[in-house]
Amino acid sequence: MNLFDVYPLYNVTPVKALDCKIYDDKGIEYLDLYSGHGVISIGHSHPEYNAKLKAQLDQLSFYSNAIQNPLQVQLADKLGKLSNCEEYSLFLCSSGAEANENALKMASFHTNKSRVISFKNAFHGRTSAAVATTDNPKIVAPMNAQQAVTFLPLNDIDLVEAELKKGDVACVIIEPIQGVGGLDMGTTAFFQDLEKICDQYDVVLILDEVQSGYGRSGKFFAHQHHGIKPDIICMAKGMGNGFPIGGILTSPKFKASHGLLGTTFGGSHLACAAGIAVLEAIENEKLMDNVAVIEKYFFEQIKQIPEIIKVKGRGLMLGVEFDFEVGPLRKKMIMEKHIFTGSSSNKNLLRILPPLTVKKENIDQFIIALKEALAELK
């Protein structure tokens, strides 16, 4: 049997990893500045994380959500306190797309409406409604395209309000920092106005924090830089440090009823152990403080690269933009300089999404390698 051909693959086979380093089957060491799409939040093979998962695996890895699971309660309690979202309720699932699906469904149930406002270059996942709200027609099947979705440019609040006035919008879904779309962001004024008009027109405001959450921006959630309180917050990637876990936080305006939401694998014992271990590491190791330190250092050091025309994003969710397509540069960085970075729909942009444990010397290594690679490509 062949594997379905999903992505073009680099000829690298990782076999082990530690913190920000990955080692392949030939013994070559790589610096990981991409974290597998921003998933590795507390570093590869974190000792306390590994120990907690191994201990849980020896006890109970999974059982149905029809029984008591104190680990879910423990995770919700710790998440609420660390994120300053204690008034929200937690629903656990297994991925970012699943989180966004459930958020969109909750909004539609709540408003009894179906149209969604999304934004240019948005990426919200590859499942039914989530992919319909993703601004990439190539990955939207005709079945998904039946969803009623309107795409608007970022930072034009008048256009958003004109759509909300029509009275048929269930929700607005937005990334605080666009990931796949290329690290564009709404302004603070835009987000604050968006919160006001969604409340005014009884439209649910969904913040997709799947990639930007869990400390990656320097605050627990990136929308907290703007001082807003969305109706639903979606989470996943950094939540389990590689273990599949996702979730949504719902504000008190949503009332639960049995059967409204459901999941088979969400909130399993093993997933909760992973989630708790990540929160403990973020708190105990003050990783959000490290994000602020490294962000500042990165912006200072990247000035050494005159070919860069713009640095986008914030925290450790960054993009460096050039005036040429970066595919060959990214390949050289991986295959010759042994540094992983990411791409986006902006072909001129390298994405930088390291573990939150990244150090200044790792940034120095990147700067030196980037200088060399650019010189060699010339």
Side-chain angles (χ1 to χ4, degrees):
M1 180 186 290
N2 293 324
L3 292 172
F4 193 82
D5 190 7
V6 180
Y7 301 117
L9 302 178
Y10 289 102
N11 189 23
V12 179
T13 306
V15 294
K16 66 176 182 177
L18 181 64
D19 197 17
C20 296
K21 300 294 178 68
I22 290 175
Y23 303 87
D24 74 5
D25 56 351
K26 300 178 183 67
I28 298 172
E29 178 184 283
Y30 296 79
L31 174 61
D32 185 8
L33 295 186
Y34 191 51
S35 305
H37 310 298
V39 165
I40 302 300
S41 49
I42 61 170
H44 294 279
S45 303
H46 189 286
E48 283 81 16
Y49 171 90
N50 285 2
K52 191 175 281 288
L53 262 69
K54 288 173 183 175
Q56 187 60 48
L57 193 58
D58 285 337
Q59 297 297 317
L60 177 67
S61 62
F62 171 82
Y63 203 70
S64 152
N65 278 301
I67 46 81
Q68 299 285 333
N69 183 349
L71 289 173
Q72 292 185 359
V73 178
Q74 186 182 342
L75 174 58
D77 183 61
K78 192 157 197 65
L79 173 57
K81 288 175 180 172
L82 196 55
S83 67
N84 197 30
C85 293
E86 289 181 276
E87 72 273 26
Y88 287 74
S89 296
L90 171 64
F91 171 77
L92 289 165
C93 55
S94 300
S95 73
E98 191 183 354
N100 286 332
E101 286 288 337
N102 280 288
L104 293 164
K105 183 166 69 171
M106 280 291 289
S108 188
F109 271 131
H110 182 76
T111 61
N112 201 33
K113 296 171 184 175
S114 61
R115 188 158 68 102
V116 179
I117 302 299
S118 187
F119 292 89
K120 299 291 186 182
N121 297 320
F123 185 92
H124 297 293
R126 294 179 180 270
T127 54
S128 181
V131 79
T133 61
T134 292
D135 186 23
N136 182 354
K138 291 180 181 177
I139 64 171
V140 179
M143 183 181 76
N144 309 124
Q146 296 179 91
Q147 307 280 353
V149 181
T150 302
F151 292 96
L152 299 175
L154 282 173
N155 295 319
D156 192 330
I157 198 67
D158 292 335
L159 283 181
V160 179
E161 185 166 18
E163 294 300 322
L164 301 197
K165 281 180 177 177
K166 295 176 183 178
D168 63 339
V169 175
C171 60
V172 173
I173 185 167
I174 185 170
E175 300 156 277
I177 308 169
Q178 290 186 334
V180 173
L183 283 301
D184 288 321
M185 300 184 287
T187 64
T188 292
F190 179 71
F191 275 106
Q192 290 180 351
D193 287 343
L194 190 59
E195 180 185 38
K196 288 175 187 172
I197 64 170
C198 283
D199 185 60
Q200 179 183 344
Y201 293 100
D202 194 25
V203 169
V204 174
L205 178 58
I206 301 170
L207 266 290
D208 177 353
E209 294 268 10
V210 166
Q211 190 170 115
S212 57
Y214 267 68
R216 182 156 291 281
S217 73
K219 290 188 180 290
F220 196 90
F221 291 122
H223 71 263
Q224 292 170 330
H225 288 282
H226 306 300
I228 65 170
K229 286 275 190 181
D231 298 310
I232 304 178
I233 304 165
C234 305
M235 315 166 291
K237 292 187 185 297
M239 196 173 178
N241 203 50
F243 196 95
I245 180 173
I248 61 172
L249 299 181
T250 60
S251 75
K253 72 163 59 173
F254 300 97
K255 303 304 177 189
S257 62
H258 292 169
L260 189 71
L261 301 179
T263 176
T264 295
F265 296 107
S268 73
H269 297 74
L270 204 52
C272 286
I276 292 165
V278 166
L279 291 171
E280 288 176 347
I282 289 173
E283 182 177 32
N284 296 340
E285 298 172 27
K286 296 180 169 51
L287 292 185
M288 285 187 280
D289 291 343
N290 188 58
V291 170
V293 169
I294 300 300
E295 177 191 24
K296 185 172 184 289
Y297 189 74
F298 184 92
F299 273 89
E300 289 169 354
Q301 299 305 308
I302 205 69
K303 293 174 185 175
Q304 299 177 40
I305 313 291
E307 293 89 345
I308 292 173
I309 61 172
K310 188 183 291 185
V311 182
K312 302 169 78 173
R314 69 193 319 158
L316 293 179
M317 189 173 174
L318 300 167
V320 289
E321 189 171 14
F322 299 84
D323 62 359
F324 57 86
E325 292 196 7
V326 297
L329 173 61
R330 183 172 176 240
K331 184 175 182 180
K332 181 178 275 285
M333 290 292 286
I334 294 172
M335 303 308 300
E336 298 178 28
K337 307 303 176 184
H338 304 139
I339 298 177
F340 286 106
T341 61
S343 62
S344 75
S345 61
N346 180 347
K347 301 301 182 187
N348 293 3
L349 185 123
L350 279 181
R351 271 202 292 168
I352 311 297
L353 295 165
L356 308 189
T357 54
V358 68
K359 299 173 179 62
K360 289 181 179 180
E361 53 261 38
N362 303 133
I363 303 304
D364 292 339
Q365 181 183 345
F366 169 69
I367 297 293
I368 292 167
L370 186 57
K371 284 180 180 177
E372 293 173 354
L374 287 165
E376 290 162 13
L377 283 170
K378 284 180 180 176

